[in-house]
Amino acid sequence: MTQSHPRISKAVIPAAGLGTRFLPATKATPKEMLPVVDKPAIQYVVEEAVSAGLDDVLMVTGRNKRPLEDHFDRNYELESALEKKGDAERLAKVQESSDLAMIHYVRQGDPKGLGHAVLCAAPHVGDEPFAVLLGDDLIDPRDPLLQRMIEVQEQYGGSVIALMEVEPEQIHLYGCAAVDTTEDGDVVKVSGLVEKPDPADAPSNYAVIGRYVLDPHVFGILRDTQPGRGGEIQLTDALQQLASDEKVGGPVHGVVFKGRRYDTGDRSDYLRAIVRLACEREDLGPDFRTWLRSYVAEEM
């Protein structure tokens, strides 16, 4: 039976990481601003939140992240120059990012991990359920994962995490969930979580990917969570507590995602994401696919 729970309206996007895997490109440019075709990765994430009905967005940033704020702000000089040139198409693209949502910013300060970054959002979120979107995972807009997660949270309450089946030898790269089935084919109940387990110790091959819908009780748990793996405050540890004691903040469910996901957190996967998205673009795809076929044929 569907229950009544507070409507989710706020999204939190942690964006304080140093982007060391992309050095030297990220020495002076935030990794979130690296282009995926012709838009920075962070814009895809904000667009996803807005498509799910979340137009109140908080970005948790750090030092050297000012370009994020500039990108989502107005640029009157550029807009004026494009308007004078009569370049309506590019003017619309420039204005699009500043009109997407009401975007707020808070600095994390010390880089103490994802759990600490989420905790920085507590004053803004208050006592409401909220979504967390990680910028390294881009979800294709044709596969509305976040919308489905919000539906599940509204039905069951508590928290909802996004899960994806991976090969067993890859599970050590992710948080991993122990799960039980439910009446909904794409929904599981999470009974436990472990951060980056050895394959032999993993409770399943269900990996946690970068989308969460969280009950606000998670803030109280994070305040008392000690640094874990890597010396960081892990969000996975807090979710483990929620999963093991439903009285704290309701149950934890998982939505098993089988759609299109683009990983931009690794250099090789970042390049694959660009190629895949460029191939699917109506304006770029036909010519780019022709060139790509020719290039691959020559290399083979």
Side-chain angles (χ1 to χ4, degrees), residues 44-55 100 141 144 146-147 150:
Y44 289 89
V45 180
V46 174
E47 289 172 350
E48 180 187 350
V50 172
S51 294
L54 312 181
D55 57 3
L100 272 174
L146 187 57
Q147 292 178 26
I150 291 172

Side-chain angles (χ1 to χ4, degrees), residues 16-221:
L18 298 176
T20 53
R21 283 179 288 182
F22 284 85
L23 287 170
T26 50
K27 179 181 178 181
T29 301
K31 70 171 183 175
E32 296 84 5
M33 289 300 297
L34 295 180
V36 180
V37 187
D38 55 2
K39 284 193 297 190
I42 192 69
Q43 184 169 334
Y44 289 89
V45 180
V46 174
E47 289 172 350
E48 180 187 350
V50 172
S51 294
L54 312 181
D55 57 3
D56 185 332
V57 177
L58 176 71
M59 289 192 190
V60 183
T61 67
R63 293 187 62 193
N64 302 323
K65 299 288 183 169
R66 181 61 184 270
L68 293 174
E69 298 185 34
D70 290 341
H71 178 72
F72 291 101
D73 198 1
R74 298 290 300 274
N75 187 326
Y76 293 103
E77 295 84 356
L78 178 58
E79 292 176 27
S80 177
L82 292 171
E83 190 172 9
K84 290 177 180 178
K85 291 173 59 177
D87 195 338
E89 181 179 356
R90 288 188 174 86
L91 177 61
K93 290 181 178 180
V94 168
Q95 293 175 333
E96 181 181 16
S97 60
S98 58
D99 295 335
L100 272 174
M102 179 64 70
I103 301 180
H104 314 268
Y105 303 89
V106 63
R107 285 198 174 193
Q108 184 178 5
D110 296 328
K112 297 179 180 179
L114 176 58
H116 181 258
V118 171
L119 183 57
C120 291
H124 181 78
V125 170
D127 191 26
E128 303 175 22
F130 63 104
V132 175
L133 298 86
L134 304 189
D136 288 346
D137 283 332
L138 304 187
I139 305 299
D140 195 292
R142 293 167 293 184
D143 300 310
L145 170 62
L146 187 57
Q147 292 178 26
R148 176 59 177 152
M149 294 174 67
I150 291 172
E151 291 172 0
V152 171
Q153 197 279 337
E154 290 176 342
Q155 179 179 358
Y156 293 103
S159 299
V160 181
I161 62 178
L163 300 174
M164 178 183 68
E165 290 190 80
V166 300
E167 295 297 327
E169 59 269 18
Q170 296 295 313
I171 197 64
H172 71 282
L173 300 172
Y174 300 88
C176 177
V179 303
D180 299 307
T181 59
T182 70
E183 296 179 355
D184 296 310
D186 64 335
V187 179
V188 294
K189 187 172 183 181
V190 177
S191 58
L193 288 154
V194 59
E195 181 69 19
K196 297 181 178 179
D198 291 330
D201 300 325
S204 73
N205 66 330
Y206 283 107
V208 181
I209 59 175
R211 297 295 181 271
Y212 309 82
V213 176
L214 301 178
D215 183 276
H217 283 90
V218 74
F219 293 131
I221 296 174

